[in-house]
Amino acid sequence: MVARLTDGLREESLAALPAWSYEPGRDAITRRFLFTDFTEAFAFMTRVALIAEKADHHPEWSNVWNRVDILLTTHDAGGLSTRDLQLAAAIDALVKA
Ligand SMILES: C[C@H](O)[C@H](O)[C@H]1CNC2=NC(N)=NC(=O)C2=N1
């Protein structure tokens, strides 16, 4: 099983993911994505879903029209792990492309 990140490692790793916010209450990271409309938002969610399923690591998320809110944490570890950092980086790459 993957381990929760230590405080030091978490701070260091999150410096590489500046678009994400740390949520201490959940030991999670969150990011809001805004698109032009629902079609664009849902297309993004579909791409994230395929990546998440392949990695067997899934976001907690919600969608309202053009907005997608994503929270990443590792349930098996009880907090943030390297699996969340990897998924966050892959999601960032999707919106940068
Ligand atoms: C059995 C399966 O591998 C686990 O339940 C996976 C699935 N997706 C997961 N996603 C997230 N975010 N955290 C997990 O601990 C997790 N565990």
Side-chain angles (χ1 to χ4, degrees), residues 16-96:
L17 296 168
W20 294 79
S21 304
Y22 181 62
E23 196 173 306
R26 287 289 313 276
D27 195 19
I29 51 174
T30 61
R31 182 173 174 186
R32 171 164 288 180
F33 297 86
L34 296 173
F35 299 91
T36 52
D37 57 22
F38 175 74
T39 303
E40 292 295 321
F42 200 77
F44 166 73
M45 292 178 79
T46 304
R47 298 175 78 196
V48 172
L50 293 173
I51 292 170
E53 185 59 11
K54 205 169 175 181
D56 191 29
H57 196 65
H58 303 88
E60 296 182 27
W61 56 3
S62 67
N63 160 240
V64 179
W65 187 54
N66 69 334
R67 186 174 82 219
V68 179
D69 286 308
I70 296 185
L71 181 147
L72 301 177
T73 191
T74 302
H75 308 122
D76 294 345
L80 201 65
S81 78
T82 52
R83 302 185 75 197
D84 302 301
L85 304 175
Q86 282 161 8
L87 185 55
I91 293 171
D92 279 354
L94 281 183
V95 292
K96 264 182 214 146

